[in-house]
Amino acid sequence: MRIVALVPGGIGDQLLFFPTLDGLRQAYPKAQIDVVVEPRAKDAYRVSKSVHDTILFDFKGRNSLADLGNLLGSIREREYEIVLSLGRRWTVGLLLWLTGIPTRVGYAGSPGQVFLTNPAPLKQDQYAAQMYHDLLRGLAINTPCPDLAVSVPQKDLDWADAERKRLGIQSSGYVLIHGGSSQLAKAKGINKIYPVESWQGIIQDFEQRQPDLPIVLIKGPEDEEFVTALTTLSPKLKITAPADIGKLAAMIAGANLMLCTDSAPMHLAVAVKTYTLALFGPTDPKKLLPDSNRFIGIKSLTGKIADISPQTVLEKVWGK
C-alpha cells in the first residue's frame, strides 16, 4: 500500500503532523508513506521515523499550471491508494480529486469537502497535533493520538556529544535558549520576538543563582543579529549552531531546561521530552503545547510577547 499526505507549512507544522504519520504507520505497518511538503520544511523529515520520501511543492507560491501539472504527475505515477490533506481550500480538494487516488481524506465542513471520499471531523479548539490526528478518523482509525516523537540519527547524537565537549559542558547539564524568529514571521508581523533586554534579565538571574550552570544560546541561520546583541550584553553565554534539525534535536535532548518562544525548536523540545518554558504573544499555548507539566506556556496578557516580564518567566523557573 502507498499513502501520501499533503502537509503545507513550515517545520513546526510538520513536527505537529508526526503523530498522525506515526498513527498511520501503526495502522498500516507495511505501507509506504510519503509527504508533499514545502522546500523550507523538508529538513523536518530527517528526524521522522514513519516517512519514506518527500515530494517538494511550494503550496504558498505563485504556482503555474505547469507546476501543478508536475505535482500531479509525480503523485499519479506513484499510484497511491490513500491521500490525506491538511489543506481546506476548494482548490486543494480539486487537486486531490485530480490525482485519481481512490481514498481522499480531509476535513469535513471545508470548501473542498465535495471532492473528498472520507471527510474527518475538524475540531480547532485543541492541541494542533490532536487536531491533525483526527484526520485518521476518516480512515476509521480511532486510536489515541501518539505523543510527538522524533528519531534522531546516531551521527547527530555523536555530533552533540562532541559539541558539548567543545563548549566545555560537564555532566551537570545546561540551560538552552532559543530566542530567534524566522524572517517569514518578521515579514508577516507575527509577534514572536522576545526583547534582548528581557532575555538578559533572565540570564543574569541564572548567573547569580547558579553561576556554574552553563547557558547555551542556539544560533540559527537567521539569528545573527539576535545572537550578537545578546552576547554583547551577556558575554558568558555559550553558542551552538547546529547545521540541521537532527543535530538541533540532539542538543535540545541533552538540556536540563529549554527556554524559547513559539517556534519549531519548541516542538522538538516536546518531542525529546526536555522540560520547556515557552513564551507566547497572541497565540494560545493550549493549541501548540500538549497538556503536560513538562511543557509550560507563558502567554502575554496583552497579546504582545514583549510584555511578558523576566520576573514572570523566572517565577515559573524557580517555582516562586
Side-chain angles (χ1 to χ4, degrees):
M1 175 180 286
R2 291 190 171 194
I3 302 171
V4 64
L6 277 64
V7 193
I11 287 178
D13 298 290
Q14 310 306 315
L15 293 171
L16 287 167
F17 197 67
F18 276 18
T20 304
L21 295 166
D22 294 344
L24 273 175
R25 172 62 64 209
Q26 292 171 11
Y28 303 104
K30 296 183 179 180
Q32 174 181 310
I33 302 173
D34 298 338
V35 289
V36 181
V37 299
E38 296 174 37
R40 66 189 173 105
K42 180 183 178 181
D43 192 40
Y45 292 92
R46 181 182 180 90
V47 293
S48 170
K49 57 185 179 180
S50 295
V51 167
H52 176 265
D53 197 11
T54 56
I55 301 170
L56 302 185
F57 182 75
D58 188 357
F59 290 98
K60 296 180 180 178
R62 296 182 178 180
N63 297 296
S64 66
L65 289 176
D67 295 328
L68 292 170
N70 289 336
L71 175 61
L72 280 172
S74 296
I75 292 176
R76 282 180 169 177
E77 71 181 9
R78 301 187 188 206
E79 299 182 343
Y80 294 110
E81 297 171 57
I82 298 172
V83 59
L84 298 88
S85 178
L86 289 180
R88 301 196 292 272
R89 294 177 299 173
W90 74 267
T91 51
V92 174
L94 176 61
L95 177 66
L96 298 186
W97 179 72
L98 290 172
T99 64
I101 298 172
T103 302
R104 302 183 295 278
V105 181
Y107 287 116
S110 65
Q113 181 177 342
V114 66
F115 298 105
L116 304 176
T117 61
N118 299 49
L122 173 61
K123 299 179 182 179
Q124 293 177 289
D125 193 22
Q126 59 178 332
Y127 179 38
Q130 177 65 64
M131 181 183 76
Y132 295 165
H133 190 263
D134 284 346
L135 277 177
L136 298 187
R137 296 191 180 188
L139 298 171
I141 300 172
N142 297 306
T143 53
C145 180
D147 289 343
L148 174 56
V150 294
S151 178
V152 182
Q154 183 60 48
K155 60 183 179 181
D156 293 337
L157 295 171
D158 294 341
W159 176 89
D161 286 340
E163 179 71 351
R164 284 187 283 269
K165 290 178 182 177
R166 182 188 71 82
L167 294 171
I169 296 174
Q170 306 301 320
S171 57
S172 59
Y174 54 98
V175 173
L176 200 58
I177 292 177
H178 179 267
S181 181
S182 70
Q183 293 299 321
L184 181 62
K186 293 178 182 178
K188 289 188 172 184
I190 299 174
N191 193 322
K192 291 186 177 182
I193 303 173
Y194 195 53
V196 168
E197 294 77 13
S198 297
W199 279 120
Q200 182 196 18
I202 293 170
I203 291 165
Q204 285 179 336
D205 189 83
F206 268 91
E207 290 176 342
Q208 290 170 4
R209 290 175 184 255
Q210 296 196 16
D212 296 328
L213 181 64
I215 300 176
V216 182
L217 188 62
I218 298 170
K219 180 180 179 181
E222 299 174 352
D223 296 336
E224 182 72 39
E225 182 179 344
F226 169 78
V227 169
T228 299
L230 191 51
T231 52
T232 299
L233 295 172
S234 301
K236 293 182 181 180
L237 285 173
K238 299 177 183 291
I239 309 299
T240 185
D244 55 60
I245 195 171
K247 296 176 179 61
L248 175 58
M251 282 299 294
I252 294 172
N256 298 44
L257 170 67
M258 174 79 160
L259 297 174
C260 60
T261 55
D262 167 19
S263 59
M266 177 188 75
H267 299 302
L268 282 177
V270 171
V272 299
K273 295 180 169 52
T274 293
Y275 188 83
T276 301
L277 290 177
L279 310 184
F280 290 81
T283 47
D284 184 354
K286 292 182 180 180
K287 294 184 179 181
L288 292 171
L289 288 173
D291 184 12
S292 169
N293 57 13
R294 292 192 66 83
F295 316 119
I296 308 300
I298 302 175
K299 179 172 169 52
S300 169
L301 297 178
T302 66
K304 297 179 180 180
I305 196 170
D307 290 341
I308 300 173
S309 71
Q311 189 57 39
T312 298
V313 179
L314 292 166
E315 286 173 359
K316 293 290 184 180
V317 172
W318 307 119
K320 297 180 181 179

